[in-house]
Amino acid sequence: MKKRNYNLLLGGAITGIMMLLTLMGFFYTPFDPEKMDAANKLSGISLTHIMGCDNFGRDIFSRVLKGCGTTFTVACGTVLIGTVFGTLIGAFTGYFGGIVDEVLMRIMDALFAFPSLLLALVFVSLFGSGKYHVIIALGIAFVPSFSRIVRGEYMRCRDLDYVKSARLSGASHLRIMFVHILPNIFTVLLSSIMIGFNNAVLAEAGLTYLGIGVKPPDASLGEMLSSAQTYLFSAPWYALCTGGTMILMILGFSLMSEGLKKNGGGRYAS
Amino acid sequence: MKKYALTKLIGMFFTINCVAFLVFLSFAVIPGDPALAKLGAQATPERLAAMRAQMGLDRPFWERFFSWLLCAIRGDFGTSYSYGTSVSAIIAEKLPVTLLLTGMSFIIMVTCSIPISIYTAKHEGGRIDRIILIVNQVIMAVPPFFAGILITYLFGLILHWFQPGAYVSFGQDPLKCLVYLLFPAVAIALPKTAMTVKLLRSSLLDEAKKDYVRTAYSKGNRTNGVLYRHVLKNAIIPVITFLGMTLTDMIAGSVIMEQVFSVPGIGRILISSISSRDYPVVEAVIVLMTFIVVTVNLLCDVICRIVDPRIRREV
């Protein structure tokens, strides 16, 4: 009997719920996330405000929903940039090899050695902060790690039998690279996309916490956490609820990636 | 070995210079006039020009870059726009704090993660192993600065073990300083420990399945002997590379943690200089961090070669 993959199941469930809530946040929130209400300033958890209210009396749950949306957009954009460019670079260098591969990989090594948070910090300080700048900065910072993974996979696959037979039947290099090999390395790519997503969530929150990420009109989990820290003593639930949401978001994806690796591992082990 | 050392050193030199050039270039081409920022919008054109000449901004780019680079090699990074003092002095004051913090968290990470991973690998599938794995998974999902906030709340505000925001410098009271830094150090080390445990555990388990381990057992070795003398040595090699990457990550992570615990280190200077557009400081900090990162990577490479003779023979 096949053992149940609890990692994948649990991760999928958590991610599913978080996705639903995030989607809901785009269209509907129980209160207006920007509406201030002096009477409810820093009020605790109650039935009407299930996560309490912040220092302006705004409903934290509504703001968390909105913040999830922002965080989600930034993370998706980052991963999209990282994956597209990383896959392109990794595919060409891994498939063809040679001098271009050597040079590009040395550059990637240098970039990879540099902490991505620091890289993003420099980018943001150059081009200014704001949602879209953060996406571009983090996206560029994520390219090296993706390209490295994809390159390794292409190097492993380029001389396998199915690639050889495709080549014999006259398929062009581009077709082999993206129609034949790409679907075969999809599991590996998917699991690194999920890890990348988590790193993007963490990096965005970190940048915003430092005050150089997403700007205030967009509610973001990092921005909320940094203002929650000021009220840690009088309103601990503010930080706990916001941080807890972030943990769930990351946990879901990391469990899923674990599960995928376990599933994929069986296939590649032989 | 000589050839190896030479190529590595040249590569290091090249990387640092590349980063220095890119950083200098990017701050030179972005819009925004540091002289204007310093004097304010009401400054007269004459005073602006005088200020630019004083800051050396009127010279051509290449001249500025090479004179800066030559000075930087000698340890002189120019004068800070906003503090008015020499950048090297500012860094010399802040760097020890960051290095102390990073060093502490690295020691915490290594001393915690190695015993835990050996224990879990030894008792694979046991109850404690499974609990640790679950805890690990959750810890890895906690954003580092949120861990910092939680630690501030628990130990600072509820248990009163330290006073958040009241940093004592090492010169004033070494013991108090170390106690204060212990909390941010733990916050930095927590997620990294979880990752190391995960990696070292699976590396140990992979090694333990190999033939030489069976041979060692069949020769009559006891479990502990095989584990420490044979398996651990081989399993630690991928972990060394990972630890090097983690160390550089920790230096970057300390930027955030210094903000959370208001520790006056290099990270706080970096953030405040970025927002006040104090480019000499930003340039110096980034070049310095690159230097540290490159050096750590080189050290890891060397350690790997010492531990594993196989890598030595390959090159």
Side-chain angles (χ1 to χ4, degrees):
Chain A
M1 196 183 96
K2 196 170 171 265
K3 208 183 152 209
R4 272 248 173 97
N5 195 332
Y6 286 106
N7 276 336
L8 197 58
L9 277 178
L10 190 64
I14 295 176
T15 311
I17 294 170
M18 291 307 291
M19 294 271 249
L20 273 181
L21 284 176
T22 309
L23 267 182
M24 189 180 103
F26 281 119
F27 303 108
Y28 168 78
T29 48
F31 291 87
D32 180 2
E34 300 302 329
K35 193 174 157 268
M36 302 187 191
D37 178 4
N40 275 325
K41 215 169 144 182
L42 291 178
S43 67
I45 293 171
S46 62
L47 275 179
T48 38
H49 298 287
I50 54 172
M51 287 187 181
C53 287
D54 72 357
N55 47 320
F56 295 113
R58 297 176 294 195
D59 180 49
I60 292 176
F61 183 61
S62 310
R63 285 184 69 73
V64 164
L65 286 184
K66 267 271 177 276
C68 279
T70 315
T71 305
F72 198 77
T73 326
V74 172
C76 283
T78 303
V79 169
L80 195 69
I81 294 177
T83 322
V84 169
F85 288 102
T87 308
L88 281 178
I89 294 175
F92 277 96
T93 54
Y95 185 78
F96 291 115
I99 185 83
V100 184
D101 172 46
E102 270 300 312
V103 173
L104 266 177
M105 274 306 132
R106 284 292 85 75
I107 298 174
M108 288 296 154
D109 274 347
L111 272 176
F112 191 68
F114 218 67
S116 58
L117 183 75
L118 221 55
L119 215 58
L121 253 175
V122 178
F123 280 122
V124 172
S125 70
L126 286 177
F127 302 114
S129 48
K131 193 153 98 183
Y132 298 104
H133 287 138
V134 172
I135 294 179
I136 294 171
L138 286 178
I140 295 173
F142 276 41
V143 170
S145 63
F146 276 112
S147 66
R148 196 178 253 215
I149 292 164
V150 173
R151 172 176 173 264
E153 286 300 306
Y154 268 86
M155 281 175 77
R156 187 178 60 84
C157 289
R158 72 178 169 203
D159 288 322
L160 291 185
D161 286 343
Y162 76 90
V163 176
K164 278 183 190 156
S165 71
R167 209 170 285 154
L168 274 181
S169 56
S172 68
H173 286 311
L174 278 181
R175 191 179 161 80
I176 294 175
M177 269 153 72
F178 296 108
V179 180
H180 293 274
I181 300 183
L182 195 60
N184 277 291
I185 65 166
F186 194 65
T187 330
V188 180
L189 197 58
L190 199 64
S191 110
S192 52
I193 283 177
M194 284 171 181
I195 295 169
F197 184 89
N198 282 345
N199 288 335
V201 171
L202 286 175
E204 183 272 328
L207 279 180
T208 314
Y209 177 81
L210 292 174
I212 45 182
V214 177
K215 283 280 170 203
D218 295 307
S220 130
L221 293 178
E223 183 251 324
M224 293 177 68
L225 263 178
S226 93
S227 57
Q229 199 194 353
T230 324
Y231 303 97
L232 205 51
F233 195 66
S234 47
W237 59 85
Y238 188 4
L240 289 179
C241 292
T242 324
T245 318
M246 200 182 278
I247 292 179
L248 276 183
M249 204 163 178
I250 295 168
L251 192 63
F253 274 101
S254 72
L255 281 176
M256 264 168 79
S257 117
E258 279 291 292
L260 273 181
K261 256 188 216 154
K262 256 183 209 163
N263 262 7
R267 198 173 141 200
Y268 291 118
S270 53
Chain B
M1 193 65 198
K2 233 182 198 165
K3 195 183 154 202
Y4 163 80
L6 204 67
T7 41
K8 277 285 164 188
L9 279 177
I10 291 174
M12 224 177 118
F13 183 73
F14 186 70
T15 314
I16 295 172
N17 276 313
C18 266
V19 171
F21 175 69
L22 285 179
V23 170
F24 200 85
L25 177 72
S26 19
F27 284 120
V29 296
I30 51 164
D33 186 350
L36 189 71
K38 194 172 178 182
L39 288 174
Q42 280 91 27
T44 55
E46 294 83 52
R47 286 199 58 196
L48 261 181
M51 184 48 104
R52 271 203 207 104
Q54 192 199 326
M55 289 164 119
L57 290 170
D58 52 347
R59 289 178 296 156
F61 172 74
W62 286 106
E63 202 188 312
R64 261 161 56 205
F65 174 65
F66 280 113
S67 70
W68 175 77
L69 193 66
L70 282 178
C71 288
I73 290 170
R74 275 181 276 132
D76 172 19
F77 286 98
T79 316
S80 154
Y81 291 163
S82 49
Y83 296 91
T85 49
S86 105
V87 175
S88 327
I90 298 176
I91 289 179
E93 189 196 330
K94 309 285 181 190
L95 187 62
V97 181
T98 304
L99 288 185
L100 187 64
L101 178 61
T102 317
M104 277 173 79
S105 43
F106 192 70
I107 291 170
I108 294 174
M109 181 189 92
V110 172
T111 46
C112 291
S113 58
I114 290 180
I116 295 178
S117 29
I118 290 175
Y119 183 86
T120 49
K122 228 164 134 183
H123 304 268
E124 189 203 355
R127 192 176 292 157
I128 295 179
D129 176 44
R130 265 183 291 168
I131 291 173
I132 287 179
L133 276 187
I134 294 170
V135 173
N136 241 352
Q137 200 75 38
V138 176
I139 287 178
M140 277 194 285
V142 180
F145 61 98
F146 184 56
I149 292 176
L150 283 182
I151 286 178
T152 316
Y153 180 60
L154 188 63
F155 294 105
L157 297 178
I158 294 182
L159 295 172
H160 294 291
W161 286 7
F162 76 109
Q163 184 159 15
Y167 171 75
V168 190
S169 77
F170 193 76
Q172 274 173 357
D173 189 347
L175 190 68
K176 261 193 182 158
C177 172
L178 287 182
V179 170
Y180 187 87
L181 284 182
L182 185 66
F183 295 96
V186 168
I188 298 176
L190 258 180
K192 302 294 178 200
T193 311
M195 278 181 219
T196 317
V197 167
K198 194 180 156 201
L199 185 73
L200 187 54
R201 179 182 173 272
S202 65
S203 178
L204 278 170
L205 289 177
D206 278 351
E207 272 312 311
K209 288 194 192 88
K210 292 197 174 155
D211 288 343
Y212 74 90
V213 179
R214 198 179 45 202
T215 314
Y217 276 126
S218 60
K219 272 162 48 184
N221 284 310
R222 278 167 300 119
T223 322
N224 280 337
V226 175
L227 193 66
Y228 292 116
R229 230 165 289 140
H230 299 272
V231 180
L232 190 60
K233 262 190 199 164
N234 282 299
I236 207 103
I237 291 162
V239 181
I240 292 175
T241 322
F242 175 78
L243 284 181
M245 270 164 56
T246 313
L247 188 60
T248 57
D249 243 18
M250 275 179 167
I251 297 172
S254 70
V255 174
I256 293 182
M257 225 38 100
E258 282 169 11
Q259 206 76 9
V260 177
F261 288 89
S262 51
V263 175
I266 209 111
R268 287 200 97 190
I269 275 289
L270 181 66
I271 301 300
S272 68
S273 312
I274 283 176
S275 40
S276 66
R277 309 214 151 229
D278 193 349
Y279 299 141
V281 179
V282 180
E283 281 159 5
V285 171
I286 287 168
V287 170
L288 192 76
M289 288 218 173
T290 318
F291 180 75
I292 296 176
V293 167
V294 173
T295 318
V296 168
N297 284 337
L298 182 71
L299 271 180
C300 281
D301 233 44
V302 171
I303 293 175
C304 273
R305 290 165 72 90
I306 292 171
V307 176
D308 192 354
R310 282 170 299 184
I311 305 178
R312 242 176 291 164
R313 238 169 281 137
E314 265 171 31
V315 183

